[in-house]
Amino acid sequence: MTFSEQIVYAMFKPAKYKEILKLKKRRAVLFVVVLMLVLGIVRFVVPTASIIAGFGGFESLFSNKISALEYSDGKLSIEQPFIMNFSGINVMIDTSVETITDDMLERDGTYFAIGSKQLRCVVVADEPLYELAPINLNELLPEGFNNAMMLELIPGLYLYMVIYFLILCVGFFIKYGFLALIFSLTANGMNKMMELRLSFGEVFMICFYGQTFGIILSNFTAAIVGYIPMFISLIGIFISIHMITSAILHIKGIKEV
C-alpha cells in the first residue's frame, strides 16, 4: 500500500482500515507526522508567507516601508507614522505622542500600538477595549535601536516562526490525539462487544484515521475564512463517527446498510 493510498483510504474508505492496521507501526507514525505537518503548513506557513510576500519581505519592510526610526534618550522617534495590517493585526508606530490613545485606534482588530515611550497591546471589538498592561519601551529597546538593528533581527524572526510552526504541529497532535482517545472509549466498547480482539492501540488508530476527512475539512476551511464555523465542526464530528463505526463494522464483516 502506497502512502497516497493510505491517505485516500483513511479519508474515504473505512472498509480498507483493516488493511491499514496491518501496516508497520512506523507507517502509522509517518501518517500522523505528515498530517500534522500539512495542518501546520495550511494554517500557518501559507498565510504567513502570503503576508510576508505582501510587504516584500522583512528586509524591504525594515529598510523601505518603515521610515527612519531611532530610540535614544528614553524616547523612540520615527520620521513618519507607520501602520500596517497583518490579517487583522495592526502594527502602529506614532511617536508624536508618548502613548497611543484609544481615539487613534480607528477600527476593530488587534493593535500593537507604539508611541514614543510605551507599547500598548489592545483588542478593539465594537466599543469595548481589551488591553494588556502597557510596556515601557525602555524595557524592550536598547539605546540607539534603529532600522539597521531591526535588519539584524530577521534571522531570529525566521527562527521564531520555525519554532512556532513546530509547536503548532505538536498542538494539533495533542488536540486530535485527545479527540481520538475520546472516540476510542466508545469504539473500544464496540470492539469488546463484537469480540474483535483489537488492541487499544489499534482502536486508537482507527479513531485517528477516522478523523482524517473532518480534520482536513475543518482546517482548510479555517485557512480560507479565518476560523472554523460551528456547522463545519459538527459535520467533521459526524463524518468521523461514521468513518469509525463503519470501519469497525467492516472489520467484523458487517457491511453498511
Side-chain angles (χ1 to χ4, degrees), residues 67-85:
S67 60
L69 172 150
E70 185 176 8
Y71 182 76
S72 63
D73 299 326
K75 285 188 177 183
L76 181 68
S77 62
I78 189 170
E79 284 187 354
Q80 296 180 353
F82 171 84
I83 185 166
M84 181 174 284
N85 179 275

Side-chain angles (χ1 to χ4, degrees), residues 24-214:
K24 294 181 179 180
K25 289 183 180 180
R26 67 171 180 267
R27 291 289 299 275
V29 172
L30 179 62
F31 176 87
V32 173
V33 170
V34 170
L35 181 58
M36 297 305 104
L37 291 175
V38 168
L39 296 185
I41 291 169
V42 169
R43 293 293 298 275
F44 176 70
V45 175
V46 172
T48 302
S50 177
I51 291 170
I52 294 173
F55 57 70
F58 287 115
E59 184 172 354
S60 174
L61 176 66
F62 296 155
S63 299
N64 304 320
K65 291 184 169 56
I66 297 179
S67 60
L69 172 150
E70 185 176 8
Y71 182 76
S72 63
D73 299 326
K75 285 188 177 183
L76 181 68
S77 62
I78 189 170
E79 284 187 354
Q80 296 180 353
F82 171 84
I83 185 166
M84 181 174 284
N85 179 275
F86 304 90
S87 298
I89 298 177
N90 300 284
V91 176
M92 182 178 185
I93 306 174
D94 188 339
T95 58
S96 62
V97 293
E98 292 186 356
T99 302
I100 302 294
T101 57
D102 293 346
D103 61 330
M104 297 173 70
L105 309 178
E106 299 178 352
R107 55 184 174 181
D108 291 355
T110 300
Y111 283 84
F112 290 92
I114 303 172
S116 64
K117 287 194 172 184
Q118 281 193 329
L119 162 65
R120 295 181 66 196
C121 302
V122 184
V123 177
V124 182
D126 294 327
E127 291 300 325
L129 291 173
Y130 305 93
E131 180 177 5
L132 298 176
I135 302 173
N136 294 325
L137 294 184
N138 60 11
E139 300 173 11
L140 294 175
L141 303 179
E143 183 70 16
F145 182 81
N146 56 25
N147 299 69
M149 294 178 69
M150 292 172 71
L151 292 173
E152 296 174 3
L153 297 175
I154 292 176
L157 288 174
Y158 283 117
L159 176 61
Y160 166 79
M161 286 189 284
V162 170
I163 294 172
Y164 180 82
F165 167 74
L166 295 175
I167 292 173
L168 186 65
C169 292
V170 172
F172 281 130
F173 172 72
I174 293 172
K175 175 183 177 180
Y176 294 113
F178 178 75
L179 287 175
L181 181 62
I182 297 299
F183 286 134
S184 297
L185 298 178
T186 300
N188 199 44
M190 296 176 64
N191 170 41
K192 292 180 179 179
M193 182 178 65
M194 296 180 180
E195 298 181 346
L196 300 178
R197 297 180 181 177
L198 296 171
S199 68
F200 188 79
E202 290 174 321
V203 173
F204 177 85
M205 283 311 302
I206 288 173
C207 294
F208 204 101
Y209 284 126
Q211 294 183 88
T212 305
F213 184 86

